[in-house]
Each structure stands twice: as structure tokens, then as C-alpha cells.
Amino acid sequence: MSYDFKSCTLCPRNCGVDRYKEAGVCGNKSVIRAAKAQLHMWEEPCISGRNGSGAIFFSGCSLKCCYCQNYKISHENFGEEISVSRLGDIFLELQDMGADNIDLVSPTHFVPLITSALDAVKHRLDIPVIYNCGGYEKRDTLKMLEGYIDIYMPDLKYKSSELSGKYSYAPDYFKYASEAILEMHRQQPELVWNGPLLKKGLIIRHLVLPKCRHDSMDILSWLKENIPADSFKLSLMSQFTPVYRCSVYPELNRRITTLEYNSVVDMALEMGFDGYTQSRKSADSSYTPEFDLTGIRQHRTKHA
Ligand code: SF4
């Protein structure tokens, strides 16, 4: 897909910068940058499957969450530049390794390049492609992905603009994320299964933050009013760990309590949502991959 990076407006930051010459808020010019490609076992069971998802961790991010566990790649932009053709090869290599899907992690700022890579290899890929993002998306950019993405897996982080402004420098987060989720649901309106693995559909993730359970509940209420509960999976995460810049906000400098998490889970159950909860043992930084360029450089399998 051709996209003119001369005045980039791919995400809600609408920087308008010439990415052939400079980077915008996402930290990246018009060349793909990625930090790791590997089989990844720590997604939801319907995604990680038996062998793991084929995760590609892209560098950079347009959200600036102070608690980001992947800050080394998202904020510090660790990674290596790769061509569109190399990205296509990575997709095929992950499939050859037995990946149950292709899991595009933080892909928003590279969407037109990712669709070009998929155009080149899609006829040889027989596993689903997942768009795994922070939810801060533009509807028009998501429309570019129609027909390419089988499973959307966005976060829905905040309802409150005060919280999203303070913790992610994005006071307009919910305005964009709510529109984005409705567009994702329009494209993938129902869950389609291949045995225990999800083949098509929408999984909405929400991380419960310390002192923010009422905002979590506002999100559940919005979902209940706007998307049929049986048409998507809800993943309520408890893995918040006070890392990176959390020390700036004393209220974030702890893990969430059992009461905070269970009160959100109880409300989700009462509302009839189906999906996934997390053991509170998951609040452990060992669940964060080590970013070391594994799988990014040319290696292993040669494709004809
Ligand atoms: S993708 Fe990057 S450069 Fe483009 S609008 Fe978003 S933050 Fe700005």
C-alpha cells in the first residue's frame, strides 16, 4: 500500500511531519524498526495456543504511558531498521517455526508498510494476523487494514481524559479509542474459532491501574452499552507493575490490590462479559520479553 509519509497523520497525534526526513511523536521515520520476533507464550490462551503467537515487537509508540513495561522499545526506540521485504520474510519464518498466528505488537505507526509486507506474502500465510495495539488509533488508518487483519486486540485503557492525559499524555484517548474499537468490531463482528484458537474476532484488553477502578467500571459500562457482550472477548489484566516513570506519581507506585481487581472482575461477570482474567502473580516484570533483536536480522530459513 502506498502512503505518503511526507505529512504523517496516521495516528491521533496528527504530527504532519515529513517522516522521510524526521520522526514524529512515535519516534520513527518512514522505515520499519523492530526489536524482536519470537514465539510468545504470554498472550491470552486463545492466542498463545500450543506453540505461541508469532510476535513481532515494533519500536516506537505514539502513546507515552508512564507505566509502560516495554519502555525500552516504545519510548527509547530500541530496535533495528528493516525493509518491507525483510518483514515479509519474518512473517514466513515465524510461521515455519510453528507460530499459531502473526502477532503485530504496537504496529500503528507502520501500518502502510505492514500491509505492503502482507501483500507480498499473504498468499503463503495460513495463520491469522493479529493487530495488537494500545487503542489510540484513527478510524481512517484502521480502514487501511480491512481485509488484512483477522483478530484485533486493542487496549481500552481509560475513559477519563484526566487520567489519560496524566498517565499517557493523551487527553483525547477515549474519544479515539472508542471510535477505533467500534471500527474494529465493524470489521470483525463475531468470534470465529479453530478449536481452542481464535481465528477471527476482537479481544479488548483492559489493565486495572491503582486507584482507578471506578474508571475501569466506566469502561465496562461503555462496552455494555455499545458492543454485544457475546461478540468479543474481554481480557481484564492485573499485571500492573510500577516501572519506568511511575515514581513521578505516588499513587501509581504500588501494585493493585485484590479488592481493586476483584471489584472490576465481579462487575464484568455481572454484566455478562466473557473472556480472561489474570492471576495476580502475573504482576511480575519477568513476563516482559528481553529485547535483543532476536529474529530481526536475516537468518535461518531461506524462502524461495
Ligand atoms: S504515526 Fe508518528 S508521525 Fe505519524 S501522526 Fe502518529 S506519532 Fe505522528
Side-chain angles (χ1 to χ4, degrees), residues 8-11 13-15 17 19 24-26 62 109:
C8 182
T9 55
L10 277 177
C11 85
R13 297 291 179 192
N14 288 318
C15 303
V17 296
R19 285 179 63 187
V25 174
C26 59
S62 55
H109 43 296

Side-chain angles (χ1 to χ4, degrees), residues 250-296:
E251 72 277 16
L252 284 189
N253 215 4
R254 65 164 171 85
R255 291 180 174 173
I256 61 166
T257 64
T258 301
L259 170 74
E260 284 171 321
Y261 186 59
N262 286 353
S263 62
V264 178
V265 170
D266 288 348
M267 183 170 172
L269 291 173
E270 276 166 29
M271 286 181 158
F273 292 117
D274 186 24
Y276 305 97
T277 55
Q278 238 180 357
S279 148
R280 292 190 61 253
K281 285 191 203 133
S282 305
D284 184 328
S285 55
S286 67
Y287 283 72
T288 306
E290 195 178 326
F291 297 112
D292 55 6
L293 301 177
T294 300
I296 296 303

Side-chain angles (χ1 to χ4, degrees), residues 48 71 93 154 158 180 199 204 222 244 258 267 292:
S48 288
Y71 65 91
E93 286 168 11
Y158 316 95
K199 202 167 145 191
I204 299 172
W222 181 84
Y244 194 44
T258 301
M267 183 170 172
D292 55 6

Side-chain angles (χ1 to χ4, degrees), residues 238-254:
S238 64
Q239 69 187 42
F240 174 83
T241 310
V243 293
Y244 194 44
R245 293 194 180 130
C246 284
S247 54
V248 174
Y249 302 105
E251 72 277 16
L252 284 189
N253 215 4
R254 65 164 171 85

